Amino acid sequence: MSRKPGRPTTHLDDVSKAIIEQLQQDGRRSYAAIGKVVGLSEAAVRQRVQRLTESGVIQVVAVTDPLQLGFARQAMVGIKATGPLEPLADTLAEMPEVDYVVITAGSYDLLVEAVCESDEHLLELLSTRIRTIPGVVATETFMYLELRKQTYSWGVR
Amino acid sequence: MSRKPGRPTTHLDDVSKAIIEQLQQDGRRSYAAIGKVVGLSEAAVRQRVQRLTESGVIQVVAVTDPLQLGFARQAMVGIKATGPLEPLADTLAEMPEVDYVVITAGSYDLLVEAVCESDEHLLELLSTRIRTIPGVVATETFMYLELRKQTYSWGVR
DNA sequence: AGTGAAACGACCGTAGA
DNA sequence: TCTACGGTCGTTTCACT
């Protein structure tokens, strides 16, 4: 779940980028179908996808739409804290409503995205589970009014 | 790219949740293999996945790791603005470095996540392309020090 | 919504350039 | 790192429940 620093940078050629674009449109597209588009044999596509996956450059996964599942209240919570940040980040990461935790430089030490069913649910999370963590000094909540863009593939194109 | 309000809430039974969990671990896992785990025939799994996908509850896609691709500087940018927020959000969404745009209630009107190659790249984006948009009054940047958790499936488990 | 069966197509390992 | 190929397994369709 946590991303380690110091990973080597992988260079992608145009063919790999094209393959990733195909998988970005449909993660279950067959290797043969991708091969036809990018001009490679099925086996070659398969090997490249395997290498890209094993090296951690890509991941083919299911993503869900919170709204469709009845999670109507999303918010970004900025947190100011004292003491070491990593254990705090890990505590937050363990909460099922929390889907995003990042340690930041700026007026917050941590940014946390939470997905909740209702205002009451969000309030409960914030008041009784986040703000009570030792080391949490202050929080500021940004309620989501509308999510306008969400992309899962960066650096391709 | 934008998510409209007022979508109906889909109810998931335990079997569909189990299927989504499987696809969350590996989006290319075969329907037959998933069927063995969840106790359903291959055809039944395929139908459920098709329904879940067509109704927008899930999406099987490739996600990329920015760090591996040489995008070492990520930041969340809080934006205060005047005037209507939707066109502003759309302008920001069109920028290739911007992978996340949300309209919020709170001390920022918008939150934007940007993925950049370097500090210079981020500075250029911020100074010459974001802060020059008419209606942008102020920005605050939270540089990412470490991304600790990133989940793509909400509401399942 | 689900199963089962048969035809078809995809996937995987291996060999060779 | 690619193509070629054969065996195996997954997918698709359809009739049935």
Side-chain angles (χ1 to χ4, degrees):
Chain A
M1 220 59 126
S2 103
R3 194 180 286 153
K4 288 93 195 165
R7 291 257 196 81
T9 289
T10 312
H11 189 77
L12 293 188
D13 61 16
D14 290 342
V15 176
S16 287
K17 286 187 184 179
I19 292 173
I20 294 172
E21 277 184 44
Q22 293 294 311
L23 290 174
Q24 172 62 17
Q25 287 164 31
D26 178 4
R28 289 192 77 87
R29 192 160 292 167
S30 77
Y31 298 134
I34 296 170
K36 282 189 181 172
V37 176
V38 307
L40 234 54
S41 72
E42 176 273 328
V45 174
R46 183 162 31 94
Q47 285 169 24
R48 288 174 91 120
V49 171
Q50 191 178 331
R51 270 182 273 124
L52 288 168
T53 303
E54 282 174 358
S55 66
V57 175
I58 66 168
Q59 224 183 325
V60 178
V61 295
V63 301
T64 56
D65 180 346
L67 279 188
Q68 291 255 9
L69 296 175
F71 294 80
R73 292 290 175 276
Q74 284 179 264
M76 188 71 74
V77 182
I79 298 176
K80 300 187 200 210
T82 55
L85 296 172
E86 289 93 337
L88 223 152
D90 291 339
T91 302
L92 290 159
E94 282 166 16
M95 301 178 178
E97 294 92 341
V98 170
D99 67 288
Y100 196 74
V101 177
V102 57
I103 300 175
T104 53
S107 57
Y108 305 116
D109 299 301
L110 296 155
L111 284 174
V112 166
E113 189 181 68
V115 178
C116 294
E117 291 168 26
S118 62
D119 291 333
E120 292 72 30
H121 184 187
L122 177 58
L123 180 62
E124 182 270 324
L125 171 68
L126 206 66
S127 290
T128 77
R129 286 187 286 147
I130 293 181
R131 294 174 63 93
T132 53
I133 302 171
V136 169
V137 171
T139 66
E140 185 167 7
T141 304
F142 303 94
M143 300 279 284
Y144 284 16
L145 298 177
E146 192 185 352
L147 185 52
R148 298 288 283 199
K149 182 182 188 179
Q150 186 164 31
T151 303
Y152 305 103
S153 279
W154 309 272
V156 183
R157 220 160 298 269
Chain B
M1 220 57 131
S2 105
R3 192 180 290 155
K4 287 92 194 166
R7 290 260 195 80
T9 290
T10 311
H11 185 75
L12 292 189
D13 62 17
D14 290 341
V15 177
S16 287
K17 285 188 184 179
I19 292 172
I20 294 172
E21 276 184 46
Q22 292 295 309
L23 290 174
Q24 171 62 17
Q25 286 164 31
D26 177 3
R28 288 191 77 86
R29 190 161 294 166
S30 77
Y31 299 134
I34 295 170
K36 281 188 184 172
V37 175
V38 307
L40 232 54
S41 72
E42 177 276 328
V45 174
R46 184 158 36 84
Q47 285 182 108
R48 280 179 180 249
V49 171
Q50 192 177 329
R51 280 198 301 273
L52 288 168
T53 303
E54 284 174 357
S55 65
V57 175
I58 65 168
Q59 228 182 324
V60 178
V61 294
V63 301
T64 56
D65 181 346
L67 279 188
Q68 290 256 11
L69 296 174
F71 293 82
R73 291 292 175 276
Q74 284 181 262
M76 187 71 75
V77 182
I79 298 176
K80 300 186 200 212
T82 55
L85 297 171
E86 289 92 338
L88 197 68
D90 290 338
T91 302
L92 289 159
E94 282 166 17
M95 300 179 179
E97 294 92 342
V98 170
D99 67 299
Y100 197 74
V101 176
V102 57
I103 300 174
T104 54
S107 58
Y108 305 117
D109 299 301
L110 296 157
L111 285 173
V112 166
E113 190 181 67
V115 178
C116 293
E117 291 167 26
S118 61
D119 291 333
E120 293 71 31
H121 184 186
L122 177 58
L123 180 63
E124 183 270 324
L125 171 67
L126 206 66
S127 289
T128 78
R129 286 186 285 146
I130 292 180
R131 294 175 61 93
T132 54
I133 301 171
V136 170
V137 173
T139 65
E140 185 167 8
T141 304
F142 303 94
M143 301 280 284
Y144 284 15
L145 298 177
E146 192 185 353
L147 186 52
R148 297 289 284 200
K149 182 182 189 179
Q150 187 164 31
T151 303
Y152 304 103
S153 278
W154 309 270
V156 184
R157 220 158 300 266

